[in-house]
């Protein structure tokens, strides 16, 4: 299945728009990871622990969105948008939204 942030696919024709699909995941933070990320923030550099968690959340949300598109009979999802939100108590939410389509 083709997943893209663009609204069209070069060399492909959209035969049918099947509707909006989305995938959501909420991930909890870890006290040890938060502590280590805090140290990284103080001394500078990138927080590998948080980058890994964000990547995991993105993949889960995209997989869920893709599964919903397949259930509609789609072979592509266009116009994909990823949103990341921090919720209270160290929780973070990742949402992937796009339009399920049939292409030829």
């Amino acid at each position: 299945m083709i997943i893209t942030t663009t609204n069209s696919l070069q060399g492909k024709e959209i035969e049918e728009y099947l509707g909006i699909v989305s995938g959501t995941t909420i991930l909890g933070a870890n006290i040890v990871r938060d502590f280590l990320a805090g140290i990284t923030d103080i001394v500078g550099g990138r927080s590998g622990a948080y980058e890994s968690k964000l990547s995991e959340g993105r993949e889960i949300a995209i997989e869920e969105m893709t599964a919903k598109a397949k259930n509609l009979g789609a072979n592509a999802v266009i116009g994909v948008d990823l949103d990341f939100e921090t919720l209270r108590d160290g929780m973070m939410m990742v949402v992937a939204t796009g339009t399920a389509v049939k292409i030829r």
Side-chain angles (χ1 to χ4, degrees), residues 20-28 53-69 80-87 91-98:
I20 296 170
V21 288
S22 64
T24 304
T25 185
I26 298 175
L27 303 166
K53 206 63 172 169
L54 284 171
S55 180
E56 176 187 350
R58 183 185 72 239
E59 293 303 318
I60 292 169
I62 290 172
E63 285 174 15
E64 185 178 309
M65 177 191 67
T66 302
K68 289 178 180 178
V80 174
D81 179 57
L82 296 169
D83 291 311
F84 300 86
E85 297 291 331
T86 302
L87 306 175
M91 304 289 281
M92 64 181 150
M93 177 175 66
V94 182
V95 180
T97 306

Side-chain angles (χ1 to χ4, degrees), residues 14-75:
I14 296 173
E15 293 180 338
E16 185 178 359
Y17 290 86
L18 301 171
I20 296 170
V21 288
S22 64
T24 304
T25 185
I26 298 175
L27 303 166
N30 177 297
I31 293 172
V32 174
R33 185 176 53 242
D34 288 347
F35 176 73
L36 294 174
I39 291 173
T40 300
D41 291 342
I42 291 169
V43 296
R46 296 170 62 167
S47 174
Y50 278 117
E51 288 176 0
S52 174
K53 206 63 172 169
L54 284 171
S55 180
E56 176 187 350
R58 183 185 72 239
E59 293 303 318
I60 292 169
I62 290 172
E63 285 174 15
E64 185 178 309
M65 177 191 67
T66 302
K68 289 178 180 178
K70 284 181 184 177
N71 285 340
L72 292 175
N75 59 0

Side-chain angles (χ1 to χ4, degrees), residues 2 4 6-14 78 103-104:
I2 298 172
T4 183
T6 62
N7 291 322
S8 62
L9 296 166
Q10 186 175 358
K12 303 286 185 184
E13 183 178 336
I14 296 173
I78 61 171
I103 58 171
R104 83 172 107 136

